Amino acid sequence: MEGTPPGLRVLRLHSFPKVLLPTCTFLGNWGNNMDFARLCIGLLLLLPLAAALDFRYHHQDAMEAYLKSVAHNYSSVTHLHSIGESVKGRNLWVLVVGRFPREHRVGIPEFKYMANMHGDETVGRELMLHLIDYLVTNDGKDPEITQLINSTRIHILPSMNPDGFEAVKKPDCFYSVGRENSNYYDLNRNFPDAFEYNNVSTQPETKAVMEWLKTETFVLSANLHGGAVVASYPFDNGVPATGTLHHRSLTPDDDVFQYLAHTYASRNPNMKTGNQCKNIMNSRNGIINGYSWYPLKGGMQDYNYIWAQCFEITLELSCCKYPREEKLLFFWNDNKHSLIEYMKQVHLGVKGQVFDQNKNPLPHVIVEIQDRKHICPYRTNKFGEYYLLLLPGSYTINVTVPGHDPYLTKVIIPENSQKFSALKKDIVLPFRGQWNPVLISNPSCPTDPLYSHLSSSSPATKSSLLLFVLCLFHIFFK
Ligand SMILES: *[C@@H]1O[C@H](CO)[C@@H](O)[C@H](O)[C@H]1NC(C)=O
Ligand SMILES: *[C@@H]1O[C@H](CO)[C@@H](O)[C@H](O)[C@H]1NC(C)=O
Ligand SMILES: *[C@@H]1O[C@H](CO)[C@@H](O)[C@H](O)[C@H]1NC(C)=O
Ligand SMILES: *[C@@H]1O[C@H](CO)[C@@H](O)[C@H](O)[C@H]1NC(C)=O
Ligand SMILES: [Zn+2]
């Protein structure tokens, strides 16, 4: 299904000079107007600046150089930092884009994209660089992008597994050694698991991500993979209480997750058809519950949702894990609208701050929606803020402070919610707080399997015919 785009669908920027030079000369001569020719050629000389990023694979050095160049040229809306190092000492670069890129501001939700966790799945890595390019070059020009940057802090990690990417000697559509990190660990099996004990040694790349998650209140995220074309949503693992007896494993926020996955898939012309990539899988409209596709233990999306209060889905972007670079422009065109629209969903639902009677913001307070309890309750951050992703409807918010009765308050999320802000609802509790913010500012959630008391079964290790076939051919995706 990966065709070369029709010639004129999108003109490659760096092909402009070839077209423009003769045109400038011709028009200049024809009109006998040397000023015009000069102006025209002057504009032409400026073009390579706008065309800094091409549709080719960027190895670590080129990627670093590009990110540093963006951070330098667009310093007021970007912030480049490394969240740690790979086994071989390569930096895990994150570029932040936002009106206040260096720090969190109350009311501005944190969003993230992560890619190339499997080093041989390469499309997402390049798409992230092009997304960065698109955001910074359209800021102040395209009103929608400008508003997105004004209202959202966007974190982009183009490669979580740079060693794996560099280790691929021979690009392969199905499997290359670079899937794993340098210690041969699959990073998407390397996180603590809520459903069963995951006895693996936590890798430096995984540790870096886990530490990073503690530093921000991420609200929404997507993790970009390849080898299939589908949007997969949590859970990836499960127990009977989450629906595994029915061959699926659903979160209490399943309506929101289906909506999020659909938001992405429905704008990708290839994904929305449920492209099966030569029968790798079945999906309806290009979205699928992770567990129902195939269960896995220690995955990142479950970890984000359960431990980091961050809704994350897994996007499989290409049947071929490591396609030829001539296809990259095609993938960018197919994913651009989805990538932008998905980011806007960080503004679903309701957000606000929780205060005591003296208007002091209260950190570490549990703020949950009745009947959607999370395994680890979602809590306010150090500014007393909460963000809850919800579809339109009426809900009861349950605010719980240790030692006090739960405080319940109703909220109605309107049908036509604003595009660039969740409904704002600050909550003032009817008492005065006497908490030491230092003591309670470090939310923690047990690392033992949290659902283990519900069932003793070990779902991800259950064999199924599909899993058997997948193992046989070494073609895992997510
Ligand atoms: C940054 O600006 C320099 C000098 O104008 C230019 O050469 C370079 O291509 C720009 N880089 C990016 C990523 O925009
Ligand atoms: C974005 O923020 C800038 C600077 O704060 C402001 O001047 C501009 O009007 C805002 N634009 C939109 C579309 O919100
Ligand atoms: C975890 O793995 C280590 C090393 O393989 C082993 O010594 C230990 O007993 C295992 N622990 C559990 C709880 O399975
Ligand atoms: C509110 O949440 C607390 C704990 O977080 C729970 O004990 C209580 O039952 C909840 N109340 C309602 C009415 O849901
Ligand atoms: Zn993958």
Side-chain angles (χ1 to χ4, degrees):
M1 290 297 288
E2 305 150 16
T4 314
L8 281 176
R9 197 156 129 211
V10 165
L11 262 172
R12 296 174 80 136
L13 265 181
H14 56 246
S15 68
F16 264 105
K18 288 182 213 125
V19 182
L20 269 179
L21 190 55
T23 314
C24 289
T25 318
F26 172 75
L27 287 177
N29 288 343
W30 177 63
N32 200 13
N33 185 341
M34 284 322 286
D35 285 344
F36 177 81
R38 250 180 246 126
L39 177 72
C40 187
I41 290 169
L43 282 174
L44 164 68
L45 290 177
L46 284 172
L47 268 170
L49 300 186
L53 188 67
D54 46 13
F55 285 92
R56 283 195 282 131
Y57 285 115
H58 293 78
H59 283 264
Q60 184 77 3
D61 287 350
M63 185 174 80
E64 257 177 42
Y66 172 71
L67 293 173
K68 285 180 178 164
S69 177
V70 169
H72 179 262
N73 291 10
Y74 302 92
S75 57
S76 71
V77 281
T78 60
H79 170 53
L80 180 66
H81 65 116
S82 166
I83 57 164
E85 286 183 359
S86 67
V87 173
K88 293 205 163 157
R90 295 190 171 96
N91 273 310
L92 305 174
W93 291 112
V94 168
L95 188 88
V96 188
V97 182
R99 196 59 64 210
F100 308 100
R102 278 166 193 80
E103 65 202 6
H104 176 75
R105 292 290 169 105
V106 169
I108 297 188
E110 309 285 337
F111 174 92
K112 69 184 160 73
Y113 272 134
M114 308 173 62
N116 200 217
M117 168 189 226
H118 292 138
D120 62 336
E121 296 167 9
T122 57
V123 170
R125 175 184 170 116
E126 294 302 320
L127 291 192
M128 288 300 97
L129 301 185
H130 284 278
L131 179 66
I132 289 168
D133 183 61
Y134 190 79
L135 290 174
V136 296
T137 56
N138 281 293
D139 179 37
K141 299 197 180 101
D142 177 328
E144 190 187 39
I145 297 298
T146 309
Q147 259 193 313
L148 183 68
I149 291 176
N150 277 9
S151 59
T152 320
R153 194 154 162 253
I154 302 159
H155 304 249
I156 298 176
L157 172 66
S159 179
M160 181 181 166
N161 184 4
D163 293 353
F165 180 77
E166 300 301 333
V168 181
K169 289 283 173 292
K170 195 174 151 292
D172 190 308
C173 279
F174 298 103
Y175 175 84
S176 314
V177 275
R179 176 183 176 88
E180 291 89 17
N181 76 346
S182 285
N183 291 337
Y184 308 105
Y185 280 88
D186 185 331
L187 300 176
N188 210 23
R189 308 289 183 276
N190 200 238
F191 284 82
D193 191 287
F195 302 100
E196 57 184 321
Y197 194 63
N198 191 20
N199 191 13
V200 290
S201 106
T202 308
Q203 293 301 295
E205 294 86 355
T206 311
K207 266 189 204 132
V209 167
M210 288 169 68
E211 288 305 311
W212 181 40
L213 296 183
K214 285 186 205 156
T215 63
E216 305 286 353
T217 325
F218 289 111
V219 177
L220 179 65
S221 169
N223 177 14
L224 278 50
H225 286 248
V229 177
V230 73
S232 150
Y233 56 89
F235 292 115
D236 269 332
N237 204 355
V239 287
T242 61
T244 57
L245 296 177
H246 306 283
H247 306 289
R248 59 178 198 223
S249 180
L250 304 182
T251 70
D253 296 300
D254 194 55
D255 53 348
V256 180
F257 273 116
Q258 288 207 31
Y259 176 83
L260 290 169
H262 183 72
T263 297
Y264 196 95
S266 63
R267 285 168 179 79
N268 178 314
N270 198 15
M271 196 181 283
K272 74 176 176 196
T273 63
N275 178 0
Q276 298 186 13
C277 296
K278 305 205 177 84
N279 295 326
I280 278 170
M281 61 164 316
N282 272 310
S283 79
R284 191 176 47 84
N285 307 333
I287 77 171
I288 196 165
N289 169 242
Y291 182 95
S292 80
W293 183 11
Y294 63 95
L296 64 86
K297 177 168 75 173
M300 188 164 71
Q301 75 176 0
D302 288 6
Y303 183 82
N304 265 269
Y305 175 69
I306 293 169
W307 271 283
Q309 308 196 171
C310 176
F311 284 39
E312 180 168 289
I313 67 172
T314 303
L315 299 167
E316 305 281 349
L317 299 180
S318 57
C319 292
C320 178
K321 291 186 182 216
Y322 199 147
R324 288 181 293 122
E325 46 188 18
E326 294 76 61
K327 302 279 175 77
L328 291 172
L329 174 63
F330 161 85
F331 285 116
W332 169 245
N333 287 332
D334 260 13
N335 286 284
K336 185 171 106 180
H337 297 298
S338 298
L339 288 168
I340 305 281
E341 200 61 28
Y342 185 77
M343 286 192 277
K344 290 199 229 155
Q345 308 310 313
V346 75
H347 300 292
L348 284 177
V350 60
K351 68 180 180 189
Q353 277 175 293
V354 180
F355 298 101
D356 72 1
Q357 286 285 287
N358 294 350
K359 275 296 228 171
N360 298 312
L362 300 175
H364 204 49
V365 166
I366 296 175
V367 182
E368 293 263 77
I369 296 292
Q370 215 177 346
D371 305 323
R372 308 186 160 235
K373 276 179 83 155
H374 295 111
I375 304 175
C376 295
Y378 280 25
R379 294 169 184 272
T380 53
N381 65 13
K382 65 179 173 185
F383 306 102
E385 284 179 285
Y386 71 96
Y387 293 86
L388 294 170
L389 298 181
L390 297 165
L391 300 184
S394 62
Y395 302 90
T396 302
I397 303 179
N398 177 352
V399 186
T400 315
V401 176
H404 293 272
D405 288 338
Y407 174 83
L408 303 178
T409 178
K410 286 217 177 334
V411 64
I412 294 173
I413 314 288
E415 204 57 55
N416 296 315
S417 325
Q418 285 183 50
K419 269 192 183 156
F420 292 96
S421 172
L423 179 72
K424 196 161 178 299
K425 185 176 170 75
D426 288 342
I427 297 167
V428 181
L429 295 179
F431 44 77
R432 257 186 289 151
Q434 60 270 69
W435 308 279
N436 180 342
V438 178
L439 283 179
I440 58 176
S441 64
N442 189 17
S444 63
C445 188
T447 47
D448 289 332
L450 297 157
Y451 267 170
S452 49
H453 62 285
L454 294 173
S455 161
S456 59
S457 73
S458 176
T461 47
K462 232 188 292 170
S463 71
S464 73
L465 185 61
L466 172 67
L467 269 184
F468 175 71
V469 172
L470 290 174
C471 291
L472 212 60
F473 293 103
H474 285 288
I475 46 169
F476 284 108
F477 320 100
K478 58 186 185 183

